[in-house]
Amino acid sequence: MQASNPSALGKPPASGMQPVAWPSIESILQRPLNPPRWLGWRLRAMVFIVVAGLAGVLLVAHWLAAQPKFPLALQATPHGEVRLGTADYPTLQRLEGLTLLSIAVESPDAEGRLHTQLAPVNSALLQPSGRWIMAPQMRQDFDRLHQRMGELLGHWSSIGLVVQLHFQNAPAETVLIAPRGWSGLSPLFWLTSGLALLVLALGSSVLLVGPHWRNAGFVVLALCQCMQLMLMGVELNLEAFTPMWLVSLDVRLRMACDLASAAALVLMAAQQFTPSQRAMRATALAWLAAAGLWLQCRDLCSPAHWWLVQLGCTALAVLAVLMAGQAQRQAPHPLTLVMRRMLVISIVTWSLLTLALWLGASRADLSLQVATYGVITWEVFVTSLVLISPYLSRSRHVLQEFSLLAASGTIAASLDLLFVALFSLGQFTSMTLSLFLSLGLYLSFRRWLLTRLPRPDEVTMEQVFQQMFRIARQVERQPDAMHDALVRLLRDLFDPLEIHVACGHIAEATLRGNGAILLVPVPCRARGGRDGQTALVLKHARRGQNLFTAEDARLAHRIMEQLHRALTFDEAVEQGRSEERLRIAQDLHDDIGARLLTLMYQAPSPEMEDYIRHTIQDLKTLTRGLAAQSHVLSEAAGEWKRDIDHRLSVARCELVWRVQSDVDVHLTMVQWSALTRILRELVSNAISHARARKVEVSLTLADDCLTLSVSDDGQGTDPSVWAHGLGLGGVRKRVKQLGGSVRWLQHGPQGIRCEVIVPSFVGASASQAGSGSGASGCGPDSHLPAHGQGPGQFSH
C-alpha cells in the first residue's frame, strides 16, 4: 500500500537539488481511496476457499441425509452387549431396555425363495471410529460387524430398508429403517462443521496474508484439525451404519492428522529459533518420524501399533516443548513462553485421554464413552487453541481469559474421564469433583498466567514518548527524516489504510469526511529549508475498520505540539552550545593567544621560540575547531599531517602519511574533535611509550566507511596484556562517539598497530552537518574577529 512505501511519501530532496513540491492537501482529499493491490486477489482467494468449504459441507450433509437412521437409540452395557434405549416413535417404546442380539434382512434369492441375512450386534458396532480402539478383539469385531452391516445395506433403497430385530428372550420385531433426511442431522454435525469451516478460514487467512514457510506449521495444524472435525461429525451421525470404505479411510486419515499435527508443532517451535542447522535437522527428523510411523502403523493392526502412534505423537510434542524452552532461553519472548505452556497443557490432556482409553478398555460402556465424549472434548480443546493462537501476541484481555478457561474446561473433562475409569464414580460425582479441581487450579494460577501472556498490540503512551524522543534525536542529526519518522509514529498509533504528505497550512489536527480523514500539521522544523508548510493526511483508521474520533485528533495535536517543543528546545540547546564554543574560542584567542605571542617575542633561545610558535599553531587549530561547525576532510587531513609531522620531527621520528578518499566530506565538530584527539593520543603513545623511529598513518574513506590505522616500529608488548588507562580509554570513548570500533594488534616483531573503523561515516557527517546549519551562521572558513584577525591568524 502507499503508506508502506517510503518513496511514495515524496521525500524532500537533498541540499543542492531542485526541490519537488509536495501535492496539496486539496488534491489528496479529492483522490479516491486506493486500497493495496494485493488485497484484491487474496480476498478473492479467501472467499473462494470459504465458499468451496461451505459447498463441501453441504455436499456431505446431502450425502448424510440419504443415509439410514436407526429409529432406536442403542446403548452399550458393561459386558459388551447392546441395549435399546429411547425410541423415536411411540409404537417402538415397548422395545426400550431390550438386549439386541442381531439384525436380519430377508431378501429373495435367484429362485424367488426368501433368504435371511443376519448381522450380529455387540458394543463394538457403536464405536464411532476405529482410531480409538486398542483391544484387538474389539477391533476385529468392529471391522467384522461393519462389514456385515454393509452387506445388509446392499438392499438399501431410497424409501428405506425393512429389517428384523432379534432380542434376547423376546420375539423378533420388524422395523423400517428410513433415510435420515436433513432434519435428522444432529446439531453436533452442524457444530463440528461450523468449527471446521472456521478453522479452514483461519488457516487460509494466515497462509494468504503471510505466504511464508514460517506459517506452514500453523496451516498444517489448522487443516488437520479441520479434517478431524469433519470426520467426527460424519461418524457420530452414521453410528452403526458407517460404510466400510469410510471405516478404513477414517483410521488412516485420523492417524495421519495426529502425526502431522505433532510434527507441525515441532516446526512451529523451530521457527522461534534464529536460523540454525540444529533446528532444521530436528524439524526434518520430526516429519520423517511422523511419516515412518504412519507407514508402519497406518492400519492399526495390533495394540502395539496403537501405542506406538500415541507415544510417537507425545514424543514429538515433548520435542516441541524442549525446542520452545531452548528458544526462550536464547531469546526470551512472551509468545514463545505462552506457546510452551499451551503445549504442556496439550501433552497433559493427550496423556489423560490415552490413559482413560487404556483403563476403560476392559469395560465396553466406558470405552464407548471415552472414545465418544473424551475425543470430542479433546478435539474441541485443540480447536480452541488453533483458533486463538494467531491472536495470542495481540489478544485482548477477554481472549486471554478465554484461553485459560478453555484449558481449565479441558482439564475438567479429562479429569472426569479419568475418575470414571479409575474409581468408577457416578457421572454427576466425577464431573462435580473435576470442575472443583479445575476451577481451583484456574483461580490459583490465573494471575500468574495473565502476567505472562503477551500484552495487547496497542501503542502505549510510554512507547509514544520513546518514539518522540527518537524522532527528536533523528531530526537533530538529519532534518529531512522528519516526515518518514512521523509517518511511522502515526501508522503505529492509528494504523490507517493510507497516509500521505501534503503541502498546505492547517492550524491544528482536524477531521474531514465525518471522521474518515485526519489532517495532522507537521512541525515547522521538519520543512528542511522548503518554502511553505506540510501536513500528514491519514485515511481510514484501523485498516478501514474505524473512523477517526475527536479524541484521536486531540491526541495527534498534543503529540505534534510536544514534538515541536522538543525540537525547539534542541535547537536552543544547540545554539547555546555553538555560542559557548565561539565565546571560548574568542577568549582563547584574546587571552592565551596574546600571552603566547608576548612570550614568543621574549623567548631567551631559538628553541624556546620555536616551541612557543608550535604551541600557538596548536591553539590556532583548537580555536578553529571550536569556531567552525564543520571541516572539509582534505583540509583537516592537511592540518593533522602538519601537526604530527612537526611533533615527530622534534622526536627524530619518520612519518609515513597516506590519505585516500572517494568523497571530500564535511566533518562535524564531533568528528573533527574526536579524530584530532585520537591521532594525537596514538602518536604521543608511539613517541613516549614505544620510542618508535617510524610511524605510519593511513586514513581511508571508501563506501561510506572510514578506516584509520596508526602503526609504529617501537618497543611494543602484546596488546592483550595492556592495562588501559586514561589515554587508551579516551581513544575508546571517542571512537564510540563516532559509532565505530577500535582494536590494537601487533605490527611486525615489536611494533603496534591501532585500527579504527567507523561505518556509515559519510551519512553521519552529512546529517550532523545539516543539524547544525543555521545555529551560528559560521561556516568551515569562518573566523572570529579579534583585533582585526581571526582566532587562527596569529602572527609575529
Side-chain angles (χ1 to χ4, degrees), residues 372-540:
T372 303
Y373 302 107
V375 173
I376 292 176
T377 304
W378 162 254
E379 296 297 344
V380 171
F381 167 69
V382 176
T383 302
S384 64
L385 291 184
V386 172
L387 291 176
I388 67 174
S389 58
Y391 307 101
L392 282 177
S393 60
R394 52 171 56 191
S395 60
R396 306 290 187 210
H397 183 72
V398 175
L399 286 177
Q400 294 175 349
E401 294 281 3
F402 171 74
S403 63
L404 297 180
L405 286 174
S408 302
T410 305
I411 293 177
S414 303
L415 290 176
D416 176 42
L417 296 174
L418 184 62
F419 290 154
V420 172
L422 289 177
F423 308 111
S424 300
L425 298 177
Q427 184 176 3
F428 178 77
T429 304
S430 63
M431 179 57 70
T432 303
L433 184 60
S434 303
L435 286 176
F436 272 109
L437 288 177
S438 61
L439 288 177
L441 291 174
Y442 168 72
L443 294 177
S444 301
F445 294 97
R446 172 184 173 275
R447 182 174 297 275
W448 180 74
L449 286 173
L450 286 177
T451 56
R452 284 158 177 79
L453 284 173
R455 295 182 178 180
D457 58 345
E458 290 185 345
V459 180
T460 63
M461 287 299 103
E462 181 180 0
Q463 293 172 336
V464 171
F465 177 79
Q466 293 175 353
Q467 292 191 43
M468 289 174 56
F469 179 80
R470 287 194 294 266
I471 290 174
R473 299 286 78 78
Q474 183 179 6
V475 172
E476 182 183 359
R477 298 188 303 270
Q478 189 177 1
D480 292 342
M482 167 65 95
H483 292 99
D484 291 342
L486 287 180
V487 164
R488 289 192 297 269
L489 174 60
L490 295 182
R491 184 185 295 119
D492 291 340
L493 274 176
F494 303 112
D495 194 19
L497 270 181
E498 290 185 8
I499 182 167
H500 305 273
V501 180
C503 181
H505 171 71
I506 54 175
E508 60 183 10
T510 57
L511 300 177
R512 297 286 182 87
N514 296 325
I517 297 175
L518 175 63
L519 301 180
V520 182
V522 176
C524 296
R525 183 65 175 83
R527 284 181 284 173
R530 295 169 57 95
D531 295 332
Q533 294 182 342
T534 55
L536 297 178
V537 182
L538 287 69
K539 292 186 178 182
H540 304 280

Side-chain angles (χ1 to χ4, degrees), residues 220-243:
V220 171
L221 187 62
L223 293 180
C224 290
Q225 192 58 26
C226 178
M227 181 65 68
Q228 294 269 29
L229 290 171
M230 286 302 301
L231 288 174
M232 183 174 62
V234 169
E235 290 162 353
L236 290 177
N237 276 266
L238 291 174
E239 298 174 338
F241 300 106
T242 305

Side-chain angles (χ1 to χ4, degrees), residues 670-716:
V670 174
Q671 292 174 326
W672 177 86
S673 176
L675 291 175
T676 301
R677 284 162 175 77
I678 289 172
L679 282 169
R680 285 184 177 180
E681 180 63 31
L682 294 178
V683 171
S684 298
N685 290 340
I687 296 174
S688 59
H689 299 295
R691 299 179 181 178
R693 309 311 304 168
K694 181 179 180 181
V695 175
E696 299 180 11
V697 179
S698 175
L699 180 65
T700 303
L701 178 59
D703 298 330
D704 200 18
C705 180
L706 178 74
T707 303
L708 173 63
S709 175
V710 179
S711 307
D712 64 69
D713 60 351
Q715 303 173 3

